[in-house]
Each structure stands twice: as C-alpha cells, then as structure tokens.
Amino acid sequence: MSMRYDLKEGEATYRIYSLIRDGKFRDAIDILNFQVQINNKSRAALSLLAYCYYYLQDYVNASDCYEQLSNLYPDQDQYKLYYAQSLYKCGLNAEAMRISSQIESANYATQVLKLQAAIKYAEDDIKGCIEFVDRSSSSDDPGIEINKACILFKEDKVEAALERFKRAQKILGQKPEISYNIAVCHYRLRQYDVSLKHIADIIEKGIKEHPELSVGMQTDGIEVASVGNTLVLHESCLVEAFNLKAAIQFNLKNMNNAREALTDMPPRTEAELDPITLHNIAVMNMDEEPSSGFEKLQFLIQQNSFPFETFANLCFLYVKFGFYSLVADVLAENSHLTFKHLTPYEYEFMEAKIMQQTSPEEAYRKLEEMGVKQIDTLRKLTKEVQDVRKSNKEDPIKKALQEYDDNLEKYIPILMAQASIYWDMQNYTAIEKIFRKSVEFCSDHDVWRLNVGHVLFMQDNNKYRDAIGFYEPIVKKHYDNILNVSPIVLANLCVTYIMTSLNEEAEELMRKIEREEDHAAMDNPERKFYHLCIVNLVIGTLYCAKGNYEFGISRVMKSLEPYQKKLGTDTWYYTKRCFLALFENMSKHLVLLKDSFVGEIIQFLTHCEMYGKDVKANVEMPMDPQPMHPGRNTVAYEARYLKWLLFEIIEY
C-alpha cells in the first residue's frame, strides 16, 4: 500500500504528528520531504524533519536540516544548538565547536557548555573538558558524577572511575547507560565475570521492557525486519552491551560466542550499523569473510570518527594475510593517523614485518633490537614482582603480574616474527636456538610451547619424542573440550605417537576425538566437524610421504566418509596433495597399483565430484585482482580433473 504525500491542507499536520506519536518516523520523513519540496523554507516541515532524522540517529541529514533552519532563522539559537549537536554526533568536532560558540542566549548556556565539554572529551583534550564540565555543572547536578567518572576513565584511572559510576548509580538508580559504564570499567580491569553480569542485567531489562527490539531472533534463524536506530534502542544500551559481550568472548578466545553476541543484538541493516558494531563484525568474521572484513575496516578509517582500534587492526590484519604492500600504503597515506593510533612498539613491529619481504637480515636486526628492549623490561618486572610478593598485598601483586603478562604478550610476537624468517628458509635449527634463548620468560606460554612443538616436529625422527613433550600439555589442558584444540595440533601429536611406537596413545586420542565429535554433532546436527578427519588425513599424508601410498591413500579416502559431513575446503586441500603426489610417482613408473585399488580411487573421486558441487576447493584471497572462476573453484571440478589425470596415466 503506497503512502499518500499530497495531503490536503490541515490533514498534513495531523497525519505527520500521528506518525511521530506511533514511532513511524520513516513514513513521517517521506511526507515531510514531500512538503519541503513544495516549500523549502517551511519552518515547521524542516524542524519536524530534522527531529525525525535525529531520532533515527541519521545525524548527517539532521545536521543538513538544522543548518538550513539556522540560516533561515539566525535569531533562533535553539537551531544552532541542535545543529552543533548533530555535527558533534557526525564526528565534526571543530565545526560543532565553532557553531556552539556562536550561541549567545543565556537560556542555552548550560547545554552549550555540556556540548563543548563533550567535544573536548572526544578530542582527548582532558584539560579543556574539565574546564567546561566545571562551568556547566552545579553542585546539585546529578550528572556531575557521571561526567567526573568519564574524565577519570579517559585519564586511565579506571578504578576511581568505577567508584564514581557506582556512586552515580546509587543517586540515579539502575539506568542502562550507568550499568554499561560500570561493565566497561570491569572489562578494562579484566574482571570479565563481573562485567558479564552487568551486561546480562542490561540485556534482561532490554528484553523485558522492549520485546519489539527482537533480541536474539537473528541467532535463532528467524527473519525479522530492521528495528532501525531509534531513541528507544539507544536508551536501552542493548547494542553497546552486546558489543561489549562480544569483545569479552573474543578476548577469552570463544569465537563462536563472540559472533553469537553480535547476531543476538537487535536487527539492523548494514547501512544502519554504528561504527563499533561494523568494526566488530569485520574483525570477528575475518577468517570466514576476509574480503568483506577489509572493506568494512577501510570504509571506517575514511570516516570522520571511528573506533580507536580500527586503524591498528586493519594494519595488523594486512600483515596476518600477507598484504605487506597494502600495509605500507595505508601507513604512508594516513600519516596523520599512524602516530595517533599506533604505539611506537606497534609501528616498529609493522616496519620490521614490511622490511622482512625485501631485506630479511635487516628485519631480523630490527626485531632483535626490539626483543632486547622487551627482555630488559621483563627482567625489571620480574624483580618488581618478587619485591611486591614479599609485601603479601593482593592488589599490588595482581597489578605487578598483570604488567608482566602485558609485556610478555608484546615480546611473543617479536619472537615469532624472528622465528618466521628462519621458518621460511626451513632453518629449523636456527629457530630452536631463538626459542632456547627465550625459555626463561616463555616456557609456560601456550603460543611458545606450540611453536616449539612445530619446530621439533618438522625435524622428523630425531625430535618426535621431544615434540610430544610440547604438544601433550596443550592437549591435556583442553582434554575435556578437545574440539577447542586446533586439528593440526591433534594430528601432529598422533603422528608423533605413531612415529615413536606409542600406538595405543594415538588410538586413545583418536577415540576421544571421535566421541567428542559424535556428542557435538548431536547438539548441532547442521555443523561440520573436521578434527578426526584432519588427524586421519595427516596420518595418511605421512604414510604417502614415506612411500607407502596404498595404506596412506586408503587412510585418506576413509577419512572423508561420510562425504556430506567431512568434505570441506581444508580437508580437500590435504586430500588432493596426496593424490597429486601419487599420480606424479605413477607417471614416473615409480609406483604400481593393483587394478582393484585403482577402482577404489575412481569410485572415491566420483563421490567427491557428487558431494563437492557446492564446496569451495580453494580459499579465495581477499582483494585478489584476478578472482578464480566460481565454476572451477569447486571440489567437484578438481575431483573430475584428478579423475581425468588418472585415466590419462593408466591409459584408460
């Protein structure tokens, strides 16, 4: 049913106000835009249009309307105030400050000062912010506690800020925005359990008071319309609460829970998403949708304001995916952001990684310098921890340990970057020496233990038993939730067991994985689990590498059963490598197979062709200038191609 815009005189006012009263702001905007086209100087139409846009948090259009009203009615300071507020919401702080300075009416003095304090806060001008807050707040203003708390938080005095927010909560009651700020303080103090409790309270209150916001329906697979960016949504703090919950789960490495928190929030279209939500969706889905993630992060850094972490995350993700030239371009083109959003440590690390592509020796030297500085800091902090422990005071001990852990987390990437230089050269002995030098600080760190295990594993028979000593503690630590362990770690541990004649341990581990997968499949029948499949594939690959193709290929083929559950991009990657190695040796007449076994291979490839029509054969790299043809990037296509190769070899 179409909306009538050409309303009769007298009917328009009633219609517009009725729509606003019922919360149908989009419909009201359509009518008001039609009215403005008829009379572009209509004060009533422009004022109501601006109000609707502002209510829907469409601050760009709201600022346009208020700008027109300010020009048409320069003596009306209220429009200048609303214009300045809209500009501030758009991130145009300098322009907002300029407009707010033009407001002379004493009636708006307090509101202007509060706005100017907010602008200074956004610009990180704490001194200026405090000055405006002091001028705008009276002793009986209940909001002064919140303002002071926010300033303390910005000054990184999180514990003091937390106490202020708690005091404000006692004065003003259980308001979602105060509960959220308390949750953020606990998050910054890494008190995640307490933070999650406050988040749960916000979500529970939001669901109870506003069922129309459709919380959780997207996660349940129910198609729901966008709720839009309404004032109700803003005041409920549901978006902020779910984003904070996602951040906590991300830090705890619970990626599925983090993504679920983002889909649980009230549904909105991508165009309606706020910068923080857009940033979190990009980062938390980067492994599954890298192209989309990079597009979102690139879009954000081009805006007037964006989450502080966006720039650093974009740069580090480029490094992770190997786009070193793009990192260099981003740093060069955004020098005004580089030193604001990257710490000296992050910038030096980024420089070293870029340098590694053209001059590995120079990059290693730079990383070594960074590592020496970090080790010196760790030694000093070790001494501080020892001294503080003598006092037996819990809080100082916690603080000292936290500072030590933070600096250790800075040292680990430097160490791994050094190791990666020699890894590319396959110089595993040199990597061992690097790791041996760092054992004093890193021996209990999972990342360090994991990579030492990988290095020992790559040196074949000589070091398999030593590799077990590094893989085993990681697996045992997560034994009750073994599917949280990387499949490659489980596969490598099984191989080391087999190669050191610990076959019973290997079989027990594989039985454990199988039980866990069966249990998980009952809870989530639609999800595919590849852990046991990849373990079998790696074992099969090992036998193929040793020349026992018949047993190795048999293991590979069996690992993909049932095909509809086990055939995926990762599992196909290992599978096709084994078959290509077999076909190469067959073409050189180095391997002869029984006819019956050749028949089994043909049948296997036929099944892969049948079940692999919708399975991608290769992971498409984001921003690839020459993307693969979708028809060729399927398991079905490659299985058919492998079958053709086999027919050529056996002259079928």
Side-chain angles (χ1 to χ4, degrees):
M1 184 178 172
S2 61
M3 178 76 66
R4 278 190 61 225
Y5 302 143
D6 54 334
L7 300 170
K8 294 176 183 177
E9 190 175 345
E11 188 183 342
T13 304
Y14 174 77
R15 181 72 173 149
I16 291 164
Y17 276 102
S18 297
L19 290 169
I20 292 173
R21 180 198 63 204
D22 296 338
K24 297 178 180 179
F25 294 96
R26 293 286 176 201
D27 292 339
I29 285 169
D30 290 340
I31 296 174
L32 287 164
N33 273 319
F34 184 81
Q35 298 295 319
V36 169
Q37 286 175 14
I38 296 170
N39 179 6
N40 61 5
K41 294 183 180 180
S42 169
R43 179 177 178 179
L46 281 170
S47 180
L48 285 169
L49 185 59
Y51 172 81
C52 290
Y53 279 133
Y54 197 93
Y55 189 94
L56 291 174
Q57 298 184 52
D58 184 350
Y59 301 118
V60 173
N61 280 318
S63 65
D64 288 344
C65 293
Y66 283 128
E67 182 181 17
Q68 290 180 60
L69 286 164
S70 299
N71 292 332
L72 289 168
Y73 306 98
D75 57 325
Q76 296 293 319
D77 280 349
Q78 68 193 63
Y79 293 133
K80 290 179 184 175
L81 175 62
Y82 300 151
Y83 179 33
Q85 287 174 337
S86 300
L87 290 170
Y88 161 69
K89 291 288 190 179
C90 292
L92 299 169
N93 295 321
E95 188 65 11
M97 182 61 84
R98 186 181 69 80
I99 297 297
S100 66
S101 300
Q102 297 173 7
I103 301 169
E104 298 175 354
S105 173
N107 295 332
Y108 301 110
T110 302
Q111 289 171 275
V112 169
L113 287 169
K114 285 182 176 179
L115 174 60
Q116 290 173 332
I119 293 167
K120 291 295 180 183
Y121 187 86
E123 292 176 335
D124 296 327
D125 182 354
I126 299 299
K127 189 177 177 182
C129 178
I130 292 170
E131 181 188 333
F132 283 115
V133 166
D134 290 341
R135 286 169 58 193
S136 68
S137 303
S138 59
S139 57
D140 59 345
D141 184 359
I144 193 167
E145 288 292 340
I146 296 174
N147 292 336
K148 296 286 188 184
C150 290
I151 290 167
L152 287 167
F153 186 87
K154 182 77 90 170
E155 291 175 325
D156 210 25
K157 297 173 183 175
V158 183
E159 290 172 340
L162 179 58
E163 290 307 312
R164 284 272 190 177
F165 281 126
K166 286 180 178 177
R167 208 177 304 161
Q169 193 173 53
K170 286 180 182 176
I171 298 168
L172 299 169
Q174 295 285 341
K175 290 185 174 290
E177 62 269 24
I178 301 176
S179 296
Y180 170 72
N181 283 321
I182 290 171
V184 170
C185 289
H186 285 296
Y187 168 77
R188 282 286 297 273
L189 294 169
R190 304 196 185 185
Q191 297 166 355
Y192 295 144
D193 290 344
V194 186
S195 184
L196 286 168
K197 182 183 176 301
H198 287 284
I199 291 167
D201 291 341
I202 295 168
I203 293 169
E204 186 180 348
K205 183 180 173 69
I207 293 171
K208 186 177 177 181
E209 295 182 359
H210 304 289
E212 74 278 6
L213 293 178
S214 306
V215 170
M217 289 190 180
Q218 277 185 310
T219 303
D220 294 337
I222 302 169
E223 286 191 24
V224 283
S226 165
V227 299
N229 287 312
T230 62
L231 188 60
V232 169
L233 179 63
H234 175 67
E235 289 176 347
S236 72
C237 285
L238 282 168
V239 169
E240 292 82 354
F242 278 116
N243 273 316
L244 184 57
K245 184 179 179 180
I248 291 171
Q249 297 297 345
F250 183 84
N251 288 351
L252 294 173
K253 312 295 183 190
N254 299 327
M255 294 307 299
N256 289 331
N257 291 343
R259 284 190 280 267
E260 189 175 297
L262 294 177
T263 55
D264 275 345
M265 70 171 62
R268 293 172 294 168
T269 64
E270 188 167 284
E272 292 171 331
L273 295 179
D274 58 283
I276 293 174
T277 304
L278 197 66
H279 167 271
N280 289 345
I281 289 172
V283 171
M284 293 178 195
N285 293 285
M286 188 59 76
D287 289 339
E288 287 76 20
E289 301 175 19
S291 296
S292 175
F294 281 124
E295 284 174 14
K296 289 178 175 69
L297 295 176
Q298 287 165 345
F299 168 79
L300 284 170
I301 67 166
Q302 292 164 13
Q303 306 309 303
N304 294 315
S305 63
F306 51 84
F308 188 84
E309 300 84 358
T310 308
F311 187 76
N313 283 339
L314 176 61
C315 292
F316 279 111
L317 285 165
Y318 275 148
V319 169
K320 178 183 174 181
F321 281 84
F323 299 131
Y324 298 104
S325 59
L326 290 175
V327 184
D329 290 344
V330 167
L331 294 176
E333 292 167 7
N334 299 279
S335 55
H336 62 294
L337 298 175
T338 299
F339 297 104
K340 181 181 177 182
H341 292 268
L342 294 178
T343 63
Y345 161 84
E346 289 170 337
Y347 183 72
E348 283 182 49
F349 183 81
M350 210 82 68
E351 268 196 327
K353 288 300 293 181
I354 295 168
M355 199 183 294
Q356 183 179 333
Q357 310 315 303
T358 52
S359 177
E361 298 84 3
E362 187 63 23
Y364 187 89
R365 185 191 63 75
K366 191 172 186 65
L367 289 166
E368 184 69 18
E369 288 175 4
M370 291 179 69
V372 168
K373 287 180 194 173
Q374 216 59 45
I375 285 173
D376 288 344
T377 304
L378 287 169
R379 287 208 170 99
K380 287 175 187 173
L381 290 171
T382 303
K383 178 74 168 59
E384 282 181 27
V385 170
Q386 290 169 349
D387 293 341
V388 169
R389 274 185 170 147
K390 292 174 186 176
S391 68
N392 291 324
K393 292 180 181 177
E394 190 177 342
D395 287 342
I397 291 171
K398 272 186 184 177
K399 193 173 180 182
L401 287 171
Q402 189 61 61
E403 193 176 355
Y404 178 87
D405 289 342
D406 289 344
N407 278 275
L408 180 60
E409 290 301 324
K410 288 182 178 179
Y411 177 55
I412 289 288
I414 296 169
L415 189 67
M416 295 307 149
Q418 286 180 295
S420 72
I421 293 171
Y422 284 115
W423 182 273
D424 293 341
M425 301 175 186
Q426 298 185 1
N427 188 346
Y428 304 118
T429 307
I431 302 174
E432 265 197 86
K433 288 178 183 176
I434 292 171
F435 285 155
R436 210 172 284 129
K437 286 193 297 183
S438 59
V439 70
E440 176 187 352
F441 304 104
C442 307
S443 58
D444 294 326
H445 199 286
D446 279 354
V447 172
W448 184 86
R449 297 186 69 85
L450 177 63
N451 284 282
V452 172
H454 288 335
V455 171
L456 295 170
F457 180 84
M458 293 302 292
Q459 296 178 64
D460 296 334
N461 298 335
N462 301 328
K463 303 286 178 77
Y464 280 136
R465 199 168 290 278
D466 294 335
I468 291 172
F470 288 94
Y471 283 138
E472 245 182 4
I474 296 170
V475 173
K476 285 181 178 177
K477 183 178 177 181
H478 302 279
Y479 200 71
D480 292 336
N481 296 295
I482 205 161
L483 298 185
N484 290 339
V485 181
S486 167
I488 290 299
V489 175
L490 297 172
N492 287 0
L493 181 56
C494 279
V495 167
T496 54
Y497 281 149
I498 292 166
M499 297 308 293
T500 52
S501 302
L502 297 171
N503 293 338
E504 287 185 16
E505 283 83 348
E507 288 173 11
E508 176 55 36
L509 180 58
M510 292 172 75
R511 281 194 294 268
K512 170 69 174 172
I513 298 167
E514 188 173 11
R515 286 195 301 270
E516 290 292 323
E517 283 195 351
D518 290 343
H519 183 69
M522 288 173 67
D523 294 337
N524 194 347
E526 299 300 316
R527 189 178 165 196
K528 292 184 178 181
F529 297 94
Y530 297 120
H531 283 65
L532 186 61
C533 176
I534 289 176
V535 169
N536 279 312
L537 282 169
V538 171
I539 293 170
T541 303
L542 172 70
Y543 279 98
C544 290
K546 300 292 182 184
N548 189 347
Y549 281 102
E550 192 159 336
F551 181 80
I553 292 292
S554 296
R555 190 88 185 217
V556 167
M557 292 191 295
K558 190 166 180 57
S559 71
L560 288 185
E561 296 175 0
Y563 299 96
Q564 65 270 28
K565 292 285 186 183
K566 302 298 181 184
L567 192 57
T569 305
D570 290 336
T571 55
W572 179 247
Y573 171 78
Y574 291 105
T575 302
K576 66 185 176 185
R577 281 166 60 105
C578 293
F579 278 101
L580 287 168
L582 170 64
F583 293 169
E584 183 182 0
N585 281 290
M586 286 175 69
S587 66
K588 295 175 180 176
H589 303 289
L590 298 174
V591 174
L592 292 174
L593 299 178
K594 297 174 187 174
D595 289 347
S596 59
F597 191 62
V598 171
E600 288 178 29
I601 292 174
I602 292 169
Q603 187 180 26
F604 169 78
L605 293 173
T606 302
H607 283 136
C608 289
E609 185 181 345
M610 188 186 309
Y611 289 99
K613 291 175 183 176
D614 298 320
V615 181
K616 286 189 176 181
N618 302 282
V619 177
E620 294 183 65
M621 292 301 289
M623 296 172 293
D624 191 339
Q626 293 182 321
M628 297 181 69
H629 189 287
R632 294 189 174 190
N633 189 23
T634 65
V635 170
Y637 175 83
E638 291 194 352
R640 196 159 54 245
Y641 191 82
L642 286 173
K643 196 159 59 169
W644 173 79
L645 282 176
L646 179 59
F647 287 155
E648 286 288 302
I649 292 166
I650 63 175
E651 299 178 353
Y652 181 72

